[in-house]
Amino acid sequence: RALDGEASFDAVIAADQKIEPRDAMPDAYRAGLIRQIAQHAHSEIIGMQPEGNWISRAPSLRRKAILLAKVQDEAGHGLYLYAAAETLGVSRAELDTALLTGKQKYSSIFNYPTLSWADMGAIGWLVDGAAIVNQVPLCRCSYGPYARAMIRVCKEESFHQRQGYQSLYVLAQGTPEQRAMAQDAVDRWWYPSLAMFGPPDADSTHSAQSMAWKVKRFSNDELRQRFVDMCVPQAEILGVTLPDPNLTWNELRGHYDYTSPDFDELMRVVKGDGPCSRQRLAHRNRAHEDGAWVREAAAAYAAKKNRKVMA
Ligand code: FAQ
C-alpha cells in the first residue's frame, strides 16, 4: 500500500506501523531522516579510521584478523545506511560530497586519536556499547528501511562490543603495564563515549519532533543514563575504574548519578574542531580520490552491460 496523504501518514505513525519509501510523508520528516541516516552512515565510514590505524600493529595474527573483520563490518554498515538514505530520494554522490566537504557531520567520537592497542578494546566496549544502546531502539524507528538496516547493524555491533570487552579484559588481567594501558584507554574514552548520545535534552534541537514521529524512541539523556547503568557493573568485572568520582548509586532514582561530559567540547568537536577532525576528513578525501578509477571502471562496466541488454 502506498500512502497518499498527511492524514494517512499520521495514522501510520499513531498505529506504530512503518512508513515506506513510496508513501507520502511530510518534507521535514524526509529531510530529518536524510540528515540522521546520512550522519549515521558517515560515522560508520569515518569510524573505520581510528581502528584501521591499528590493523598493521595488532599484537597477534588472531587479533589482526578480528580487527580487520570488524572494520570491514563498519564499511558494510555504512553501505546499508547509505542505501536506506537513498530510498528517501538523495543520491549516493550527493551524500559523498556532503561528507567530503564537511557539509554533513559524523559522530564526534571518531575525532579522537587511538593512542595505544588498548584503545581497540575500549572502543569495542564503550563506543560500540554506546552505539548499541542508541541503536537498538532505532530498530523500531518509524521509517521501514532505516529500522530494517538497524537490525543487522545491531547484531554485528553487539558482537563488536563483546570482542572489545574480551580484548580489554585480557589486558586488564595482564602485566602491570598492560593494566595501566587498559586503564588509560578507559580514562580517555569514557567522556567522549557519554557525549555520543548528543546534547542534554533541554538543548537537543531535534528530539521533540523526532520522538513525535517515532524516529527516536528515547531521549538523549535517557539513553546516556541507560549506558552508564550498564557500564558500571561491567567495569567492576573488568577491574578498571571509570574516571568519575561522582559515580554513585542513587537509591531514589534507581540509577547511577554521574558527571556529564563537557558539552561545550562536544559542540566544538561537532563543528569540526576535534583533535583529529582535519586528519579524518583529509584521509577520507584522499581515499575518495584514490578510488576514482574504481568508480569509473564500475560505471563503464554497467554502461556496457546495459548496452548489451538493450541490443
Ligand atoms: N556527534 O538535536 P540533537 C557508530 C548533533 S555509532 C556529532 O540531539 P539528534 C558505530 C546533531 O546531529 C555513531 N553530532 O540531534 C561504530 C545535531 O546537529 P545538526 C553514529 C552530534 O539527531 C562504532 C545537533 O548536534 N551513530 O558509528 C552528536 O536528535 C565503532 C543537535 O543534537 C548514529 O549516528 C554527536 N555525538 O540526536 C562505528 C546514531 N550529538 O544535524 C565504528 C543515529 C548530537 O542539526 C566504530 N543518530 N549531534 O547539524 C542518532 O541517534 C541521533 O542523531 C543522535 C543526535 C542521538 C546522535
Side-chain angles (χ1 to χ4, degrees), residues 35-36 39-40 43-44 47 51 70 74 105-108 110 127-128 131 134-135 138 146 157 195-199 204-207 216 220 266-267 270:
R35 175 192 68 83
Q36 177 167 331
Q39 276 186 17
H40 195 166
S43 304
E44 297 282 358
E51 289 166 293
K70 179 180 192 285
E74 284 152 9
K105 302 183 185 117
Y106 57 86
S107 180
S108 51
F110 304 117
V127 176
D128 285 279
N134 166 267
Q135 287 167 33
L138 291 174
Y146 191 27
E157 216 99 88
M196 284 173 74
F197 295 92
S204 166
T205 37
H206 302 292
S207 276
K216 266 177 146 169
N220 297 356
L266 170 66
M267 284 307 139
V270 169

Side-chain angles (χ1 to χ4, degrees), residues 133-153:
V133 169
N134 166 267
Q135 287 167 33
V136 165
L138 291 174
C139 298
R140 291 193 297 116
C141 144
S142 60
Y143 188 58
Y146 191 27
R148 289 189 288 275
M150 277 301 107
I151 294 172
R152 179 160 173 189
V153 168

Side-chain angles (χ1 to χ4, degrees), residues 76-132:
H77 296 175
L79 298 188
Y80 321 145
L81 286 162
Y82 282 129
E86 283 177 300
T87 65
L88 290 157
V90 62
S91 74
R92 178 70 184 278
E94 285 172 276
L95 294 168
D96 280 346
T97 306
L99 169 63
L100 295 170
T101 55
K103 189 170 158 246
Q104 278 174 347
K105 302 183 185 117
Y106 57 86
S107 180
S108 51
I109 193 76
F110 304 117
N111 292 310
Y112 291 87
T114 42
L115 302 179
S116 81
W117 170 253
D119 288 14
M120 300 304 97
I123 288 180
W125 176 41
L126 296 173
V127 176
D128 285 279
I132 294 166

Side-chain angles (χ1 to χ4, degrees), residues 46-307:
I46 297 285
M48 295 165 75
Q49 291 184 37
E51 289 166 293
N53 179 32
W54 280 90
I55 291 173
S56 61
R57 292 177 286 163
S60 69
L61 184 59
R62 185 169 156 266
R63 292 286 180 200
K64 189 199 282 275
I66 293 170
L67 189 57
L68 201 57
K70 179 180 192 285
V71 173
Q72 279 179 347
D73 284 352
E74 284 152 9
H77 296 175
L79 298 188
Y80 321 145
L81 286 162
Y82 282 129
E86 283 177 300
T87 65
L88 290 157
V90 62
S91 74
R92 178 70 184 278
E94 285 172 276
L95 294 168
D96 280 346
T97 306
L99 169 63
L100 295 170
T101 55
K103 189 170 158 246
Q104 278 174 347
K105 302 183 185 117
Y106 57 86
S107 180
S108 51
I109 193 76
F110 304 117
N111 292 310
Y112 291 87
T114 42
L115 302 179
S116 81
W117 170 253
D119 288 14
M120 300 304 97
I123 288 180
W125 176 41
L126 296 173
V127 176
D128 285 279
I132 294 166
V133 169
N134 166 267
Q135 287 167 33
V136 165
L138 291 174
C139 298
R140 291 193 297 116
C141 144
S142 60
Y143 188 58
Y146 191 27
R148 289 189 288 275
M150 277 301 107
I151 294 172
R152 179 160 173 189
V153 168
C154 284
K155 282 190 179 147
E156 293 180 352
E157 216 99 88
S158 57
F159 184 61
H160 294 173
Q161 196 262 357
R162 297 287 178 95
Q163 73 78 34
Y165 188 80
Q166 194 271 345
S167 173
L168 203 61
Y169 185 83
V170 169
L171 290 176
Q173 313 300 310
T175 62
E177 289 81 4
Q178 287 172 324
R179 284 155 67 164
M181 194 162 78
Q183 183 61 53
D184 171 63
V186 171
D187 289 347
R188 284 181 291 105
W189 289 95
W190 175 247
Y191 285 105
S193 298
L194 291 185
M196 284 173 74
F197 295 92
D201 292 349
D203 300 333
S204 166
T205 37
H206 302 292
S207 276
Q209 183 60 79
S210 193
M211 285 176 76
W213 277 331
K214 298 183 180 170
V215 172
K216 266 177 146 169
R217 297 286 182 158
F218 299 97
S219 77
N220 297 356
D221 286 329
E222 280 172 316
L223 293 175
R224 193 170 5 251
Q225 180 74 63
R226 189 177 291 182
F227 176 68
V228 171
D229 292 349
M230 188 184 91
C231 287
V232 173
Q234 293 180 349
E236 276 165 21
I237 297 170
L238 278 173
V240 295
T241 309
L242 295 172
D244 181 358
N246 299 323
L247 207 51
T248 41
W249 178 251
N250 184 324
E251 196 68 53
L252 216 60
R253 294 198 310 120
H255 291 291
Y256 283 93
D257 288 337
Y258 66 95
T259 306
S260 288
D262 179 346
F263 290 114
D264 293 336
E265 174 180 324
L266 170 66
M267 284 307 139
R268 275 198 309 276
V269 175
V270 169
K271 288 194 181 111
D273 202 16
C276 299
S277 305
R278 285 165 197 83
Q279 179 189 331
R280 299 284 185 246
L281 217 50
H283 186 89
R284 184 69 225 133
N285 269 286
R286 225 169 25 247
H288 190 76
E289 282 158 26
D290 289 349
W293 69 273
V294 180
R295 290 189 296 280
E296 280 161 25
Y301 180 70
K304 193 167 112 187
K305 263 186 108 177
N306 266 346
R307 274 200 302 278

